[in-house]
Amino acid sequence: MRQTDVMLPPDESLGMLNISKFAAKIEKKRHFWDTLYAKIVPGIPELFGQVVVLTSKVKGLAQWSRPANNIFITFETESTQQRILRHLSFGMIHVMGNNTSKISNPNHLFRGEKLSNAREANEPSTIRWTDLNQRRRNIWYTQLQTTIVSVGVVALIAMFTAFCK
């Protein structure tokens, strides 16, 4: 969008309808060589087309229903954080068994039916964001595959080295 802002005349509005109209005018005036040049150096119509496609993708992805496994919340004060943690921390055994009799206020249940495992989060730089919603079994399986391949490569190199001597 920033590239489009730079290409528009200074007095032009940056609304989507105005950019669309401006892109259509440019597209209509183009000749063969202008079209070829636009394939190499994208102009406003090409950049606007990318914005439209990406906006559609974002709107489509926003309609998917995805269950939340991990929720990160920031608090204004440390005292608020400690109060929330005190009310929503129950221990892993109670959370895994969903022992709702442990809770005093039913409004503290996640989605009205599950105990939450509230705890202070690690620092953002220490979190592996790609593995965040993976099941532990899948992570172990991936690590096992990596280990087997690594051991196999080391064994092949050792056999090759022994064969070359």
Side-chain angles (χ1 to χ4, degrees), residues 133-145:
N133 290 324
Q134 296 292 325
R135 291 194 169 131
R136 194 63 70 189
R137 178 181 51 204
N138 294 349
I139 294 171
W140 288 338
Y141 183 69
T142 303
Q143 289 174 344
L144 177 66
Q145 287 176 327

Side-chain angles (χ1 to χ4, degrees), residues 9-33:
D11 58 341
E12 288 289 328
S13 168
L14 297 179
M16 291 297 274
L17 289 175
N18 195 39
I19 295 174
S20 173
K21 182 176 79 172
F22 197 72
K25 284 180 185 177
I26 292 173
E27 191 76 36
K28 187 177 180 183
K29 291 179 185 178
R30 281 190 178 160
H31 299 291
F32 176 74
W33 295 112

Side-chain angles (χ1 to χ4, degrees), residues 60-159:
L61 289 172
Q63 293 176 3
W64 285 13
S65 175
R66 296 186 180 157
N69 295 335
N70 298 292
I71 301 170
F72 292 89
I73 303 171
T74 57
F75 298 95
E76 290 287 328
T77 63
E78 184 72 24
S79 61
T80 305
Q81 176 188 355
Q82 294 304 319
R83 185 171 50 85
I84 296 297
L85 287 172
R86 190 171 49 254
H87 287 294
L88 297 179
S89 297
F90 302 105
M92 193 52 107
I93 294 175
H94 295 295
V95 171
M96 289 177 73
N98 198 29
N99 185 5
T100 55
S101 63
K102 182 77 174 156
I103 196 164
S104 59
N105 185 351
N107 291 331
H108 292 167
L109 292 172
F110 181 67
R111 293 188 178 140
E113 59 187 39
K114 300 230 182 238
L115 285 179
S116 60
N117 183 19
R119 64 190 195 295
E120 191 165 354
N122 297 334
E123 291 296 318
S125 61
T126 63
I127 297 171
R128 286 183 48 109
W129 296 99
T130 56
D131 293 339
L132 195 57
N133 290 324
Q134 296 292 325
R135 291 194 169 131
R136 194 63 70 189
R137 178 181 51 204
N138 294 349
I139 294 171
W140 288 338
Y141 183 69
T142 303
Q143 289 174 344
L144 177 66
Q145 287 176 327
T146 305
T147 303
I148 290 171
V149 169
S150 299
V151 168
V153 168
V154 169
L156 284 173
I157 291 172
M159 286 190 304

